[in-house]
Amino acid sequence: MKTLDEFIVEKQQEFSQATGDLTALLSAIKLGAKIINRDINKAGLLDILGETGSRGEVQMNLDLHANEKLKAALKARGEVAGIASEEEEKIVIFNNERSQNGKYVILMAPLDGAENVEVNVTVGTIFSIYRRISPVGQPATEEDFLQPGNRQVAAGYVVYGSSTMLVYTTGYGVHAFTYDPSLGVFCLSHEKVRYPEKGTMYSVNQGNYIKFPAGVKKYIKYCQEQDEATLRPYHSRYIGSLVADFHRNLLKGGIFMYPSTASFPQGKLRLLYECNPMAFLSEQAGGKGSDGTGRILDITPEQLHQRSPFFVGVCSMVDDAERFIAQNPE
Ligand code: AHM
């Protein structure tokens, strides 16, 4: 059995000239994940379930709780100059001398799909790591966070499901670790994860069908048609937690879609906290991430909380979706 710590020490040379940075950053995320995992497991027993209003959206208290825990774990590490979080309106700069010398910034969705906690369904944590652009030794700036996804140096997620798993990439493949709660360690369970060549699952909130662009509607119909060569009709699977849907499609072969809708003209998902890290992982596993017209990772972000339509999964499936969208302009 190989633990996450042993694995990252072994792979450290793949990250920032083997300075030990990856070990430190992932250790902080791992600690945050263990705390969130523990708290989610007893969420019904703690006084942290419920809703609170802020930023015009309903945020679950557990979201905010997870945000605080992860932020504290990252702040304790000198390598991190600051964070941006789906749960925070602005960037959070760590203003101590040690952090100002940190070379990295981290963007995160601390508890993605949080509404699902209330009904005991899988949720996740997503993270994305960039080398800062601003000079080391000074406070990080917003520019450090507004980099295109193709500059990510690492990204990953933790899926809190029937077991808890941490899945990450540093640009050298995707590796997955399953948490053993009795030992308190993440153990390597899937090395160099790749999508199956052909996918058979499609994940989309079909309740929004009427509001989807014409190309997306046509692609969904295509998914439902019978054709042996392409293994159609595909299975429809939608959990409503991006991390859980992505994880299943990664292991079983599928496409996840959150297109633009009449209510969310730019889609619902956040480019920086959700789309970019998942697109990076997808490409590293042999898949693709698109906004329906092109590569997610090449979008230059303008705002911290900007949204994007999102199509991610097996290459041929994302290609098909893009083709239907191109052929059916609005
Ligand atoms: P959240 O940021 O409020 O957790 O929303 C993100 C989640 C994703 O995990 C999931 O894919 C999507 O929202 C589900 O949205 P919908 O309920 O509109 O299908």
Side-chain angles (χ1 to χ4, degrees), residues 86 111-114 205 208 238 240-242 256 258 268-269 274:
E86 196 184 354
L111 201 62
D112 180 69
N205 183 345
N208 290 331
Y238 191 71
S241 287
L242 169 64
F256 172 91
Y258 210 109
K268 178 187 178 192
L269 301 183
E274 294 168 321

Side-chain angles (χ1 to χ4, degrees), residues 43-289:
L45 305 171
L46 298 174
D47 191 21
I48 47 178
L49 272 180
E51 293 174 357
T52 180
S54 113
R55 281 204 293 108
E57 268 184 14
V58 172
Q59 284 176 302
M60 307 303 290
N61 282 342
L62 201 52
D63 279 26
L64 303 179
H65 178 78
N67 187 53
E68 291 310 315
K69 296 296 171 192
L70 203 52
K71 192 164 59 174
L74 292 168
K75 191 174 178 181
R77 296 282 169 180
E79 293 77 12
V80 187
I83 60 130
S85 164
E86 196 184 354
E87 305 304 332
E88 309 258 357
E89 202 180 329
K90 297 184 177 151
I91 56 172
V92 179
I93 305 300
F94 298 151
N95 269 326
N96 57 69
E97 199 184 323
R98 201 165 151 238
S99 301
Q100 285 183 9
N101 286 322
K103 286 185 282 189
Y104 301 95
V105 294
I106 299 196
L107 295 96
M108 61 193 200
L111 201 62
D112 180 69
E115 279 177 57
N116 273 335
V117 175
E118 240 185 326
V119 288
N120 210 357
V121 171
T122 300
V123 290
T125 296
I126 310 174
F127 59 92
S128 165
I129 305 177
Y130 292 81
R131 202 165 282 118
R132 64 190 286 191
I133 304 170
S134 59
V136 170
Q138 290 177 19
T141 65
E142 195 164 280
E143 203 194 352
D144 296 323
F145 297 87
L146 293 177
Q147 301 188 54
N150 57 31
R151 297 234 187 110
Q152 288 172 102
V153 291
Y157 60 81
V158 183
V159 55
Y160 309 98
S162 42
S163 60
T164 295
M165 285 179 80
L166 189 151
V167 181
Y168 83 90
T169 184
T170 55
Y172 294 86
V174 175
H175 312 296
F177 300 80
T178 303
Y179 186 55
D180 180 337
S182 63
L183 299 175
V185 289
F186 284 92
C187 307
L188 179 63
S189 50
H190 306 65
E191 193 171 353
K192 293 197 180 124
V193 185
R194 305 284 297 174
Y195 283 102
E197 206 164 302
K198 284 187 177 170
T200 55
M201 313 238 172
Y202 73 104
S203 310
V204 64
N205 183 345
Q206 298 202 61
N208 290 331
Y209 184 85
I210 196 87
K211 304 178 193 167
F212 287 151
V216 174
K217 285 183 182 158
K218 291 218 166 138
Y219 177 64
I220 291 173
K221 285 292 163 213
Y222 168 87
C223 294
Q224 296 167 344
E225 283 163 13
Q226 180 112 29
D227 176 52
E228 260 179 51
T230 50
L231 308 176
R232 288 178 292 143
Y234 301 144
H235 305 280
S236 165
R237 294 283 185 276
Y238 191 71
I239 295 169
S241 287
L242 169 64
V243 170
D245 282 310
F246 178 93
H247 186 71
R248 185 207 44 250
N249 292 344
L250 173 63
L251 298 182
K252 298 283 185 191
I255 181 171
F256 172 91
M257 301 179 268
Y258 210 109
S260 57
T261 67
S263 340
F264 291 101
Q266 290 307 311
K268 178 187 178 192
L269 301 183
R270 311 282 179 171
L271 175 65
L272 296 179
Y273 313 111
E274 294 168 321
C275 308
N276 273 339
M278 292 318 209
F280 186 25
L281 286 156
S282 180
E283 289 192 6
Q284 286 297 314
K288 267 182 113 163

